[in-house]
Amino acid sequence: MASKKEDLPEFWKEYEASFLEALPEKITDAVFVVLDTETTGFSLKKDRMLSIGALRLQDSTIKAKDAFEVFLNQTTFDAKTVEIHGILKRGKTKRIEELEGLKIVLKLLGNAIIVAHHAGFDVGMLNAALIRHGLPKLKNKTLDTAILYHKSLPKAKRKTEGHYSLDDLCEEFNIPKTDRHTALGDAYITAIAFLQILENLKPISLKQLLKKDRFWEFWKFI
Amino acid sequence: MKNTISERIADFLKGFPPFSNLLKAQLGALSEEVSIIYKEKNSFVFTVEESAHNQFYVVHKGAVALWDKEEKTVLDICDEGDIFGLRPLMANENYRLTAKSEEETILYAIPIDKFRPYIKENRRVADFLVESFASNTRNPYDKTNRGQLLGDSFQVNTQNSPLLDLQPVDFSKHIVAASEQTAIKSIAEKMTAKGIGAMLIEKDGLPIGIITDKDLRNKIATGDYPITAKAKSIMSSPVITYPAKLTITQAQMAMMKSNISHLVLTEDGTVNTKAVGILSKHDIMLSLGDNPAVLVKAIKRVNTVEEIKPLRKSVMNLLRGYLDQNIPLTLTSKIISELNDACIKKVVELSLEKMDSEPPVKFAWLAMGSQGRSEQLLHTDQDNALLFEDVPQSKFDKTRDYFLELARIITAGLNHIGYEYCPADMMGSNPKWCNSLFGFKKMTSKWIVNPGPDEVLLSSIFFDYNRAYGDKELVSKLSYHIFNTVKEYPIFLSHLAAGALMNPSPSGFFREFLVEQDGVHKDFFDLKKRALMPMVDAARVLMLSHNVPDISNTWERYEKMAELEPSNKELFLACSYATKALLRFRTKQGLLHNDSGRYINLEQLNKEEKMKLKRTFKTIKQIQEVLNVRFMVSRVR
């Protein structure tokens, strides 16, 4: 039920316009936005995002200035997931409205490639929110570190069932779990893991890297 | 909005100078400007001659090596919290070194234009930078002796150093001064006559300038000024003055700061009071007291064992200084062993004086174990033996009783000056280790012909003996006996090699350190058992197999092996190097913790030290493989 194109708000038009620019060929020129969401649960329909963390990654460099974490006002609340993300319904953290949060995310995103661990879920959550606000879905290419990690392993070492959690990656790459289960903390961990996975995959171009993400069978494990 | 990333950056940086000197708000603001850069192993951060980036770097995780121009030598390894690449930014020049990640690394890049204001605002930040550039190290507060930290070694020497108490800073108190109207020629003549390198120029009894050898060279010899010129025309003025109560460190720093070779010391430290002395760089060098010749003389002069005690302490200070100044270990151990030998000789001499009669026959005092190998830098247990000339059976008991009594006095004396008694009683005062040449021949033959675990152990300690005092020929006779017997019973070498391989391995999979699993030293790394002994034991077997007596020092043994087996030269030289590195390591740890240095707390090592240790492990494994194959160890296991 997205609105007609001409009715879309200015921030969306700006976001859309960034896609007129073609993606670069070289990995070092590509802009990645690594993001993570903390949510009230795992249902794309019923659950809501409590916080979004995102950072910009280009040429193996993350600028602290380009990283942020926003906490969102939500009416849906599930006490069960509080113990994971630690975000209380009436916590002291300053919150903003969901639409404001989406604006900030879109501004950082532009035509960057989205990188997330189990990207399908985070992108799904963002899309669900966009649709609720009468906006179209995200247009960005995405990369899932869970899939990329699976592909980076020699065949003999790949899991035949189950999935790779972010904790698995922390252990594999010796990434400290500080700030685990905060949106930006997880985004940072994902970014560091992503960089190490790139080392192992050694894609020759961005195009080739984006192809690696095609591994649909993988989803049956999740 | 919240930014966990910049918060974490600030959390990390606040633990390291100069960031630790920033206010919380300043650090917070700075952290928001930081870029996090991921570097895979062996990737460049910058290269020589590259123009300076607009940011400098702090290692967050991993390690970065700084290489010299030719990329041949690693000048420094930066690990967590170390800063690099700042100096070119301050000096507006290109990079002089190449920075390359040694392993997977995460860097924090700090933009210089955001950092510069803090240098101006915060004096402590500025001081840190000035000091770190002056001393040419990344962190002048770091006392762990990295890089060329001259200031630190001086500090070690000035603080609580009995050696310096013995030899106070001897600056020229008799000041040779001239007036500013004195002709240069007469100043030069006076300096030559007095043998001094600098002349103070005074006016109304106060110092106003100084002329040094350098001034004469740069201003007169070049023809810039005629030799008839007056002092005033070439003197350096005003003079840099300091109070007379200057520590050596301060003096060193002062000279470094102003790039001068002489300091004028005045009553109150200003130019407004009379000069009381001139301190030259040369004076500082001398007062550092690293003068083994003086110590050897002092040891030779003593009349009682008691007097040796403070001298042994001086030897330890000397050792500390050598290690701090990174003097090559070969030289260090030679000097220290020489001094230790001098002490032992003196103890034996003094003990002989206490005996009622002269020794009935010729004898030799043997140092065994590490002292025998000249590898004993720190005080450890005494392992020694007394060997005396063969006597008719009828006189044996009486002769042995005499030498047992002598050995008791000697071991007590050694104990008094700091050598602990051997817990296994491997000492000349034990009848087992006080024997005639025939007795020792019989004992060693028995070990070689029937080697069990005990025999192998005993051989490994005894066969490294070295004559500390007494008859040379007697000792040679025993050595030849041992080598000839080994030749006849080559299976002994297999046993000895098996014994050498009994030492547990230093590392497991993934190059991790293997630490002790239980006991008092649980979770400590046993440097002696796991690293040093395997090298020492292997060298002994190899030397015996090559029939080379008279070399008991481990790295000299390996060097000899490299000579004897050119095809394995590289490995043996690596062994020699590794042994030295390990011994240096153990000695440093020992001095640091005031113990034998045997058990290492890995958590207290920095990255560079760990890497150094790990590098030796490879060599240990290789030499053990050689032993295993060459001596067919499997046939005796």
Side-chain angles (χ1 to χ4, degrees):
Chain A
M1 17 157 250
S3 331
K4 280 182 194 163
K5 210 164 191 177
E6 52 272 23
D7 298 336
L8 290 168
E10 203 50 39
F11 68 85
W12 181 267
K13 283 181 184 159
E14 236 169 72
Y15 163 73
E16 210 163 32
S18 64
F19 285 87
L20 294 172
E21 201 181 320
L23 290 174
E25 264 177 51
K26 284 200 290 185
I27 304 263
T28 46
D29 292 335
V31 178
F32 299 95
V33 166
V34 188
L35 58 80
D36 182 66
T37 58
E38 297 297 319
T39 62
T40 55
F42 296 108
S43 159
L44 293 181
K45 273 187 187 164
K46 279 187 275 168
D47 287 308
R48 297 287 183 267
M49 291 187 289
L50 290 169
S51 64
I52 308 169
L55 58 89
R56 203 165 173 272
L57 174 71
Q58 188 177 22
D59 192 14
S60 301
T61 304
I62 300 162
K63 288 192 173 151
K65 237 195 303 194
D66 294 338
F68 68 84
E69 183 166 28
V70 286
F71 293 88
L72 308 175
N73 265 327
Q74 299 291 6
T75 43
T76 312
F77 186 76
D78 185 346
K80 270 184 276 176
T81 55
V82 168
E83 52 192 70
I84 297 176
H85 48 66
I87 303 171
L88 296 167
K89 199 173 177 184
R90 306 212 182 279
K92 278 184 190 161
T93 332
K94 192 177 165 265
R95 286 149 206 270
I96 55 175
E97 291 310 313
E98 190 175 65
L99 185 62
E100 287 308 302
L102 290 172
K103 274 189 204 173
I104 295 170
V105 173
L106 289 177
K107 190 160 186 218
L108 181 77
L109 271 179
N111 74 339
I113 293 136
I114 295 176
V115 178
H117 197 70
H118 298 148
F121 176 71
D122 298 293
V123 172
M125 269 291 172
L126 284 165
N127 281 338
L130 286 167
I131 290 165
R132 273 200 301 278
H133 294 281
L135 294 164
K137 287 185 186 177
L138 290 173
K139 301 168 70 75
N140 305 68
K141 302 261 186 216
T142 61
L143 286 170
D144 184 337
T145 41
I147 297 177
L148 292 179
Y149 176 62
H150 177 85
K151 292 243 173 159
S152 73
L153 294 174
K155 288 225 164 64
K157 277 188 158 184
R158 292 180 185 173
K159 278 192 187 180
T160 49
E161 58 182 71
H163 70 282
Y164 303 92
S165 68
L166 198 52
D167 287 322
D168 290 341
L169 268 59
C170 283
E171 255 141 54
E172 170 65 26
F173 296 123
N174 273 322
I175 307 169
K177 294 182 192 172
T178 341
D179 301 319
R180 179 89 174 85
H181 296 300
T182 69
L184 188 54
D186 280 359
Y188 180 73
I189 291 169
T190 307
I192 298 297
F194 174 63
L195 287 167
Q196 304 200 45
I197 292 167
L198 280 189
E199 270 331 302
N200 297 336
L201 282 174
K202 295 207 189 312
I204 48 165
S205 66
L206 182 60
K207 220 171 166 183
Q208 200 202 32
L209 173 66
L210 290 170
K211 273 186 193 164
K212 299 263 183 203
D213 198 64
R214 288 185 202 153
F215 185 68
W216 302 112
E217 309 93 285
F218 189 83
W219 291 102
K220 72 181 176 206
F221 301 136
I222 295 171
Chain B
M1 275 197 284
K2 192 175 144 74
N3 195 333
T4 353
I5 290 186
S6 63
E7 280 169 23
R8 284 293 161 240
I9 294 171
D11 269 354
F12 176 78
L13 290 179
K14 75 169 185 234
F16 302 97
F19 310 105
S20 49
N21 295 324
L22 293 177
L23 299 174
K24 203 176 166 204
Q26 293 177 323
L27 188 57
L30 185 66
S31 298
E32 280 173 24
E33 304 296 337
V34 169
S35 298
I36 301 163
I37 302 176
Y38 171 84
K39 290 278 171 194
E40 61 178 296
K41 192 179 169 178
N42 286 329
S43 56
F44 292 101
V45 183
F46 50 74
T47 51
V48 171
E49 291 309 325
E50 194 179 321
S51 54
H53 303 166
N54 51 14
Q55 54 198 18
F56 63 98
Y57 303 93
V58 181
V59 180
H60 175 225
K61 289 219 156 358
V64 169
L66 301 177
W67 295 77
D68 68 350
K69 234 183 199 153
E70 287 80 27
E71 267 192 63
K72 274 184 194 148
T73 333
V74 174
L75 298 175
D76 209 344
I77 289 180
C78 304
D79 72 353
E80 289 172 22
D82 288 334
I83 294 179
F84 66 97
L86 178 57
R87 191 184 188 139
L89 301 183
M90 305 302 289
N92 274 326
E93 54 186 32
N94 292 350
Y95 290 113
R96 284 192 192 162
L97 303 171
T98 289
K100 199 160 115 187
S101 55
E102 277 275 300
E103 51 193 77
E104 218 164 36
T105 298
I106 294 174
L107 298 174
Y108 287 166
I110 297 167
I112 186 65
D113 55 325
K114 305 288 181 202
F115 183 68
R116 211 172 249 131
Y118 300 119
I119 308 176
K120 285 186 188 144
E121 269 170 41
N122 192 323
R123 247 202 64 204
R124 288 175 69 193
V125 172
D127 285 351
F128 172 86
L129 297 176
V130 168
E131 274 178 50
S132 69
F133 293 157
S135 56
N136 200 20
T137 55
R138 297 178 313 270
N139 185 352
Y141 303 159
D142 185 357
K143 294 279 187 280
T144 56
N145 177 39
R146 292 201 210 153
Q148 301 294 308
L149 203 49
L150 271 173
D152 269 359
S153 53
F154 288 122
Q155 274 171 14
V156 168
N157 273 311
T158 43
Q159 285 162 5
N160 323 314
S161 166
L163 198 59
L164 280 175
D165 294 342
L166 291 174
Q167 306 172 324
V169 186
D170 192 18
F171 58 82
S172 337
K173 285 175 190 109
H174 305 288
I175 298 166
V176 188
S179 82
E180 51 182 351
Q181 292 308 318
T182 317
I184 300 295
K185 188 167 181 286
S186 79
I187 285 182
E189 280 165 358
K190 217 166 162 186
M191 282 168 69
T192 309
K194 301 266 181 188
I196 53 173
M199 171 84 84
L200 187 68
I201 308 300
E202 285 182 334
K203 190 181 182 180
D204 305 329
L206 296 177
I208 56 158
I210 191 166
I211 292 175
T212 64
D213 282 343
K214 203 172 157 191
D215 294 318
L216 296 176
R217 187 177 72 226
N218 289 351
K219 295 171 185 166
I220 306 296
T222 54
D224 288 352
Y225 290 88
I227 198 156
T228 50
K230 302 277 183 256
K232 196 179 177 181
S233 59
I234 68 158
M235 71 184 182
S236 306
S237 179
V239 275
I240 295 169
T241 55
Y242 280 88
K245 274 187 190 160
L246 199 64
T247 68
I248 292 188
T249 316
Q250 286 169 324
Q252 182 75 19
M253 288 299 285
M255 286 180 185
M256 244 170 13
K257 209 164 111 192
S258 315
N259 193 22
I260 50 174
S261 56
H262 292 79
L263 293 181
V264 175
L265 309 177
T266 63
E267 280 169 0
D268 74 351
T270 71
V271 289
N272 303 319
T273 50
K274 263 179 71 120
V276 293
I278 291 185
L279 183 65
S280 70
K281 251 184 197 163
H282 184 69
D283 292 330
I284 291 188
M285 291 319 290
L286 280 186
S287 58
L288 284 175
D290 35 18
N291 196 338
V294 173
L295 277 171
V296 168
K297 262 189 206 154
I299 293 167
K300 281 187 178 156
R301 269 201 305 265
V302 303
N303 295 316
T304 62
V305 169
E306 189 62 40
E307 289 169 58
I308 302 179
K309 246 177 143 174
L311 294 170
R312 294 256 336 139
K313 276 202 181 124
S314 300
V315 173
M316 282 300 123
N317 280 317
L318 192 59
L319 173 60
R320 206 184 291 266
Y322 283 171
L323 291 171
D324 280 340
Q325 289 167 60
N326 268 329
I327 308 271
L329 190 78
T330 324
L331 187 66
T332 304
S333 85
K334 266 222 168 81
I335 293 170
I336 301 297
S337 296
E338 206 69 20
L339 289 167
N340 282 340
D341 278 357
C343 288
I344 294 175
K345 262 197 189 103
K346 193 71 206 184
V347 170
V348 177
E349 277 170 20
L350 291 170
S351 306
L352 276 168
E353 283 172 18
K354 283 189 190 158
M355 298 297 287
D356 293 334
S357 59
E358 295 285 304
V361 289
K362 285 179 189 162
F363 77 100
W365 183 258
L366 304 178
M368 303 192 292
S370 60
Q371 177 70 31
R373 292 191 300 271
S374 310
E375 287 160 23
Q376 187 183 52
L377 298 182
L378 298 168
H379 293 220
T380 48
D381 299 344
Q382 37 173 314
D383 292 320
N384 44 49
L386 195 151
L387 166 70
F388 57 88
E389 214 176 359
D390 287 329
V391 290
Q393 191 60 43
S394 56
K395 284 188 180 165
F396 182 83
D397 285 347
K398 215 180 150 200
T399 311
R400 168 129 84 178
D401 286 345
Y402 175 91
F403 284 116
L404 277 173
E405 175 59 22
L406 176 64
R408 258 193 294 279
I409 300 172
I410 295 173
T411 50
L414 289 175
N415 186 54
H416 194 70
I417 64 167
Y419 291 98
E420 298 283 321
Y421 285 120
C422 172
D425 204 16
M426 274 184 98
M427 293 187 292
S429 50
N430 176 349
K432 202 179 165 191
W433 301 102
C434 177
N435 215 331
S436 64
L437 180 60
F438 178 75
F440 274 116
K441 279 180 177 175
K442 216 170 97 183
M443 181 171 77
T444 50
S445 290
K446 211 178 108 198
W447 295 344
I448 295 166
V449 178
N450 286 312
D454 288 346
E455 286 74 16
V456 166
L457 184 68
L458 288 170
S459 315
S460 68
I461 297 168
F462 185 73
F463 287 7
D464 290 337
Y465 63 72
N466 193 15
R467 182 179 62 100
Y469 183 94
D471 192 68
K472 204 172 168 181
E473 210 182 320
L474 208 53
V475 182
S476 299
K477 279 181 184 163
L478 179 58
S479 299
Y480 280 104
H481 167 78
I482 291 172
F483 276 87
N484 286 332
T485 318
V486 169
K487 234 194 223 162
E488 279 174 54
Y489 297 91
I491 188 86
F492 172 73
L493 290 174
S494 302
H495 284 277
L496 205 56
L501 296 176
M502 293 265 285
N503 288 304
S505 164
S507 58
F509 293 119
F510 308 118
R511 306 211 316 148
E512 283 304 316
F513 289 89
L514 288 181
V515 293
E516 301 314 299
Q517 294 304 318
D518 39 43
V520 196
H521 298 286
K522 189 173 183 301
D523 295 331
F524 277 68
F525 180 73
D526 187 341
L527 186 73
K528 183 184 174 186
K529 192 172 75 181
R530 290 186 188 268
L532 209 43
M533 285 327 282
M535 298 303 289
V536 170
D537 288 345
R540 183 183 310 112
V541 184
L542 290 162
M543 274 290 105
L544 275 170
S545 75
H546 270 284
N547 235 319
V548 186
D550 298 336
I551 302 179
S552 55
N553 176 278
T554 301
W555 55 85
E556 284 174 13
R557 281 174 167 170
Y558 281 121
E559 276 156 25
K560 185 75 186 174
M561 288 301 300
E563 203 181 299
L564 294 171
E565 293 180 27
S567 56
N568 289 322
K569 192 176 164 191
E570 220 165 280
L571 171 64
F572 289 131
L573 290 182
C575 288
S576 163
Y577 179 82
T579 313
K580 282 188 262 187
L582 287 166
L583 185 63
R584 171 190 282 275
F585 204 86
R586 178 175 176 188
T587 310
K588 272 190 162 182
Q589 290 289 322
L591 284 173
L592 198 63
H593 303 294
N594 219 357
D595 57 17
S596 71
R598 174 170 178 174
Y599 295 98
I600 310 289
N601 183 353
L602 292 171
E603 278 171 17
Q604 284 177 6
L605 298 186
N606 63 37
K607 187 144 246 146
E608 189 188 355
E609 290 167 331
K610 276 188 198 163
M611 282 197 287
K612 264 189 188 160
L613 262 186
K614 280 181 179 173
R615 257 177 242 144
T616 66
F617 295 171
K618 211 176 120 194
T619 314
I620 296 174
K621 279 207 166 123
Q622 284 170 339
I623 195 70
Q624 289 192 329
E625 275 160 29
V626 167
L627 236 55
N628 203 350
V629 174
R630 185 172 293 184
F631 300 104
M632 294 177 278
V633 171
S634 55
R635 67 179 173 177
V636 296
R637 264 191 180 155

